[in-house]
Short mmCIF file of all heavy atoms in Angstrom, two decimals:
data_model
loop_
_atom_site.label_atom_id
_atom_site.label_comp_id
_atom_site.label_asym_id
_atom_site.label_seq_id
_atom_site.Cartn_x
_atom_site.Cartn_y
_atom_site.Cartn_z
N GLY B 235 -53.87 29.87 -79.68
CA GLY B 235 -54.41 31.22 -79.49
C GLY B 235 -53.80 31.93 -78.25
O GLY B 235 -54.40 32.87 -77.78
N CYS B 236 -52.69 31.53 -77.79
CA CYS B 236 -52.10 32.26 -76.70
C CYS B 236 -51.57 33.61 -77.17
O CYS B 236 -51.42 33.83 -78.35
CB CYS B 236 -51.01 31.48 -75.99
SG CYS B 236 -49.40 31.52 -76.85
N LYS B 237 -51.31 34.48 -76.20
CA LYS B 237 -50.70 35.75 -76.52
C LYS B 237 -49.26 35.44 -77.01
O LYS B 237 -48.60 34.57 -76.48
CB LYS B 237 -50.67 36.67 -75.29
CG LYS B 237 -52.02 37.30 -74.99
CD LYS B 237 -51.80 38.41 -74.00
CE LYS B 237 -53.18 38.98 -73.58
NZ LYS B 237 -53.01 39.91 -72.46
N PRO B 238 -48.72 36.25 -77.84
CA PRO B 238 -47.33 35.99 -78.37
C PRO B 238 -46.28 36.52 -77.38
O PRO B 238 -45.23 36.94 -77.79
CB PRO B 238 -47.29 36.78 -79.67
CG PRO B 238 -48.22 37.91 -79.45
CD PRO B 238 -49.32 37.45 -78.52
N ASP B 239 -46.63 36.43 -76.14
CA ASP B 239 -45.75 37.04 -75.11
C ASP B 239 -45.32 35.94 -74.18
O ASP B 239 -45.87 35.72 -73.11
CB ASP B 239 -46.72 38.00 -74.36
CG ASP B 239 -45.97 39.17 -73.75
OD1 ASP B 239 -44.86 39.44 -74.21
OD2 ASP B 239 -46.57 39.75 -72.88
N VAL B 240 -44.30 35.23 -74.59
CA VAL B 240 -43.91 33.96 -73.95
C VAL B 240 -42.79 34.15 -72.94
O VAL B 240 -41.80 34.88 -73.26
CB VAL B 240 -43.48 32.93 -75.00
CG1 VAL B 240 -43.07 31.64 -74.30
CG2 VAL B 240 -44.57 32.64 -75.96
N SER B 241 -42.90 33.56 -71.75
CA SER B 241 -41.82 33.56 -70.78
C SER B 241 -41.38 32.13 -70.54
O SER B 241 -42.20 31.22 -70.64
CB SER B 241 -42.28 34.20 -69.49
OG SER B 241 -42.73 35.51 -69.71
N VAL B 242 -40.17 31.95 -70.15
CA VAL B 242 -39.62 30.67 -69.89
C VAL B 242 -38.84 30.66 -68.58
O VAL B 242 -38.00 31.59 -68.41
CB VAL B 242 -38.70 30.18 -71.06
CG1 VAL B 242 -38.09 28.81 -70.73
CG2 VAL B 242 -39.50 30.05 -72.37
N LEU B 243 -39.09 29.66 -67.79
CA LEU B 243 -38.33 29.47 -66.46
C LEU B 243 -37.74 28.12 -66.54
O LEU B 243 -38.44 27.14 -66.75
CB LEU B 243 -39.28 29.52 -65.28
CG LEU B 243 -39.74 30.83 -64.64
CD1 LEU B 243 -40.41 30.48 -63.30
CD2 LEU B 243 -38.55 31.75 -64.37
N ALA B 244 -36.41 28.00 -66.22
CA ALA B 244 -35.81 26.68 -66.11
C ALA B 244 -34.63 26.77 -65.14
O ALA B 244 -33.99 27.81 -65.08
CB ALA B 244 -35.33 26.21 -67.47
N THR B 245 -34.35 25.68 -64.46
CA THR B 245 -33.28 25.72 -63.50
C THR B 245 -31.93 25.67 -64.23
O THR B 245 -31.01 26.44 -63.95
CB THR B 245 -33.37 24.57 -62.50
OG1 THR B 245 -34.61 24.65 -61.84
CG2 THR B 245 -32.21 24.62 -61.47
N HIS B 246 -31.82 24.76 -65.19
CA HIS B 246 -30.49 24.47 -65.79
C HIS B 246 -30.51 24.90 -67.26
O HIS B 246 -31.27 24.34 -68.08
CB HIS B 246 -30.16 22.99 -65.69
CG HIS B 246 -30.31 22.44 -64.30
ND1 HIS B 246 -29.49 22.85 -63.24
CD2 HIS B 246 -31.20 21.57 -63.75
CE1 HIS B 246 -29.89 22.23 -62.13
NE2 HIS B 246 -30.89 21.44 -62.41
N ALA B 247 -29.65 25.81 -67.59
CA ALA B 247 -29.56 26.33 -68.98
C ALA B 247 -28.34 25.72 -69.67
O ALA B 247 -27.27 26.28 -69.64
CB ALA B 247 -29.49 27.84 -68.98
N LEU B 248 -28.53 24.53 -70.24
CA LEU B 248 -27.37 23.84 -70.86
C LEU B 248 -27.04 24.46 -72.23
O LEU B 248 -25.93 24.60 -72.66
CB LEU B 248 -27.60 22.39 -71.03
CG LEU B 248 -27.77 21.64 -69.65
CD1 LEU B 248 -28.19 20.20 -69.84
CD2 LEU B 248 -26.41 21.73 -68.91
N PHE B 249 -28.10 24.87 -72.99
CA PHE B 249 -27.95 25.56 -74.28
C PHE B 249 -26.92 24.82 -75.17
O PHE B 249 -25.83 25.35 -75.54
CB PHE B 249 -27.52 26.96 -74.03
CG PHE B 249 -28.54 27.84 -73.41
CD1 PHE B 249 -28.27 29.08 -72.94
CD2 PHE B 249 -29.88 27.39 -73.40
CE1 PHE B 249 -29.26 29.89 -72.37
CE2 PHE B 249 -30.90 28.19 -72.79
CZ PHE B 249 -30.53 29.44 -72.29
N VAL B 250 -27.24 23.61 -75.53
CA VAL B 250 -26.31 22.92 -76.42
C VAL B 250 -26.86 22.89 -77.87
O VAL B 250 -28.02 23.14 -78.08
CB VAL B 250 -26.07 21.44 -76.00
CG1 VAL B 250 -25.44 21.40 -74.60
CG2 VAL B 250 -27.41 20.64 -75.99
N GLY B 251 -26.01 22.70 -78.80
CA GLY B 251 -26.31 22.60 -80.25
C GLY B 251 -27.08 23.86 -80.63
O GLY B 251 -26.65 25.03 -80.42
N PRO B 252 -28.31 23.69 -81.26
CA PRO B 252 -28.99 24.82 -81.79
C PRO B 252 -29.80 25.63 -80.85
O PRO B 252 -30.64 26.47 -81.22
CB PRO B 252 -29.96 24.14 -82.85
CG PRO B 252 -30.24 22.81 -82.21
CD PRO B 252 -29.01 22.42 -81.49
N ALA B 253 -29.54 25.44 -79.54
CA ALA B 253 -30.44 26.02 -78.50
C ALA B 253 -30.59 27.55 -78.64
O ALA B 253 -31.70 28.06 -78.71
CB ALA B 253 -29.93 25.66 -77.08
N ILE B 254 -29.45 28.20 -78.72
CA ILE B 254 -29.50 29.68 -78.73
C ILE B 254 -30.21 30.22 -79.92
O ILE B 254 -31.09 31.05 -79.85
CB ILE B 254 -28.13 30.25 -78.47
CG1 ILE B 254 -27.73 29.98 -77.00
CG2 ILE B 254 -28.11 31.75 -78.78
CD1 ILE B 254 -26.30 30.37 -76.72
N ALA B 255 -29.87 29.63 -81.10
CA ALA B 255 -30.54 30.05 -82.35
C ALA B 255 -32.02 29.86 -82.21
O ALA B 255 -32.80 30.70 -82.55
CB ALA B 255 -29.92 29.27 -83.49
N ARG B 256 -32.40 28.67 -81.72
CA ARG B 256 -33.87 28.41 -81.59
C ARG B 256 -34.56 29.39 -80.68
O ARG B 256 -35.65 29.89 -81.01
CB ARG B 256 -34.03 26.99 -80.97
CG ARG B 256 -34.14 25.91 -82.05
CD ARG B 256 -34.50 24.58 -81.32
NE ARG B 256 -34.50 23.50 -82.34
CZ ARG B 256 -34.07 22.29 -82.08
NH1 ARG B 256 -33.61 21.99 -80.87
NH2 ARG B 256 -34.08 21.38 -83.03
N LEU B 257 -33.95 29.63 -79.55
CA LEU B 257 -34.60 30.47 -78.58
C LEU B 257 -34.72 31.91 -79.11
O LEU B 257 -35.72 32.62 -78.89
CB LEU B 257 -33.82 30.48 -77.27
CG LEU B 257 -33.87 29.11 -76.50
CD1 LEU B 257 -32.93 29.08 -75.38
CD2 LEU B 257 -35.30 28.82 -76.07
N GLN B 258 -33.67 32.35 -79.84
CA GLN B 258 -33.67 33.69 -80.40
C GLN B 258 -34.76 33.82 -81.49
O GLN B 258 -35.35 34.90 -81.60
CB GLN B 258 -32.32 34.06 -80.99
CG GLN B 258 -31.33 34.32 -79.84
CD GLN B 258 -29.97 34.73 -80.39
OE1 GLN B 258 -29.46 34.09 -81.31
NE2 GLN B 258 -29.37 35.74 -79.83
N ALA B 259 -35.06 32.73 -82.18
CA ALA B 259 -36.09 32.79 -83.22
C ALA B 259 -37.48 32.86 -82.64
O ALA B 259 -38.38 33.24 -83.35
CB ALA B 259 -35.90 31.55 -84.12
N LEU B 260 -37.65 32.47 -81.43
CA LEU B 260 -38.95 32.54 -80.81
C LEU B 260 -39.11 33.91 -80.17
O LEU B 260 -38.14 34.51 -79.70
CB LEU B 260 -39.11 31.46 -79.73
CG LEU B 260 -38.97 30.03 -80.22
CD1 LEU B 260 -38.83 29.09 -79.05
CD2 LEU B 260 -40.11 29.66 -81.15
N SER B 261 -40.35 34.38 -80.10
CA SER B 261 -40.55 35.77 -79.50
C SER B 261 -40.69 35.58 -78.00
O SER B 261 -41.79 35.59 -77.47
CB SER B 261 -41.84 36.36 -80.10
OG SER B 261 -42.98 35.57 -79.71
N ILE B 262 -39.55 35.43 -77.31
CA ILE B 262 -39.60 35.18 -75.89
C ILE B 262 -39.31 36.52 -75.16
O ILE B 262 -38.34 37.20 -75.44
CB ILE B 262 -38.54 34.15 -75.48
CG1 ILE B 262 -38.97 32.77 -76.07
CG2 ILE B 262 -38.33 34.11 -73.98
CD1 ILE B 262 -37.99 31.68 -75.77
N ARG B 263 -40.26 36.79 -74.28
CA ARG B 263 -40.16 38.07 -73.53
C ARG B 263 -39.15 37.92 -72.40
O ARG B 263 -38.28 38.77 -72.18
CB ARG B 263 -41.53 38.45 -72.96
CG ARG B 263 -41.50 39.81 -72.28
CD ARG B 263 -42.91 40.31 -71.93
NE ARG B 263 -43.71 39.22 -71.41
CZ ARG B 263 -44.62 39.41 -70.41
NH1 ARG B 263 -44.69 40.56 -69.75
NH2 ARG B 263 -45.38 38.43 -70.00
N GLN B 264 -39.33 36.91 -71.62
CA GLN B 264 -38.41 36.67 -70.48
C GLN B 264 -37.88 35.23 -70.55
O GLN B 264 -38.67 34.34 -70.75
CB GLN B 264 -39.16 36.81 -69.13
CG GLN B 264 -39.78 38.15 -68.79
CD GLN B 264 -40.46 38.11 -67.49
OE1 GLN B 264 -39.93 38.34 -66.43
NE2 GLN B 264 -41.79 37.77 -67.49
N LEU B 265 -36.59 35.06 -70.30
CA LEU B 265 -36.01 33.71 -70.33
C LEU B 265 -35.09 33.67 -69.02
O LEU B 265 -34.07 34.33 -69.05
CB LEU B 265 -35.19 33.47 -71.59
CG LEU B 265 -34.31 32.22 -71.53
CD1 LEU B 265 -35.12 30.96 -71.22
CD2 LEU B 265 -33.65 32.05 -72.92
N ILE B 266 -35.61 32.99 -68.03
CA ILE B 266 -34.91 33.06 -66.73
C ILE B 266 -34.37 31.72 -66.39
O ILE B 266 -35.12 30.71 -66.46
CB ILE B 266 -35.83 33.60 -65.64
CG1 ILE B 266 -36.35 35.00 -66.11
CG2 ILE B 266 -35.11 33.68 -64.32
CD1 ILE B 266 -37.27 35.61 -65.06
N ALA B 267 -33.13 31.60 -66.00
CA ALA B 267 -32.57 30.32 -65.57
C ALA B 267 -31.47 30.63 -64.54
O ALA B 267 -31.11 31.84 -64.37
CB ALA B 267 -32.00 29.57 -66.79
N THR B 268 -30.96 29.64 -63.95
CA THR B 268 -29.88 29.86 -62.91
C THR B 268 -28.49 29.68 -63.62
O THR B 268 -28.43 29.24 -64.73
CB THR B 268 -30.00 28.82 -61.81
OG1 THR B 268 -29.45 27.57 -62.22
CG2 THR B 268 -31.42 28.68 -61.29
N ASN B 269 -27.54 29.96 -62.82
CA ASN B 269 -26.13 29.78 -63.32
C ASN B 269 -25.58 28.42 -62.83
O ASN B 269 -24.37 28.36 -62.56
CB ASN B 269 -25.28 30.96 -62.86
CG ASN B 269 -25.30 31.15 -61.30
OD1 ASN B 269 -26.18 30.52 -60.66
ND2 ASN B 269 -24.46 31.98 -60.82
N SER B 270 -26.45 27.40 -62.70
CA SER B 270 -25.92 26.08 -62.26
C SER B 270 -24.88 25.64 -63.25
O SER B 270 -23.93 24.93 -62.87
CB SER B 270 -27.09 25.12 -62.22
OG SER B 270 -27.64 24.89 -63.51
#
Side-chain angles (χ1 to χ4, degrees):
Chain B
C236 81
K237 286 195 184 169
D239 209 18
V240 180
S241 301
V242 175
L243 275 192
T245 303
H246 309 295
L248 296 173
F249 291 167
V250 298
I254 288 172
R256 268 186 186 144
L257 292 171
Q258 286 180 316
L260 301 170
S261 63
I262 292 179
R263 185 171 40 140
Q264 299 179 89
L265 170 54
I266 303 180
T268 78
N269 56 348
S270 65

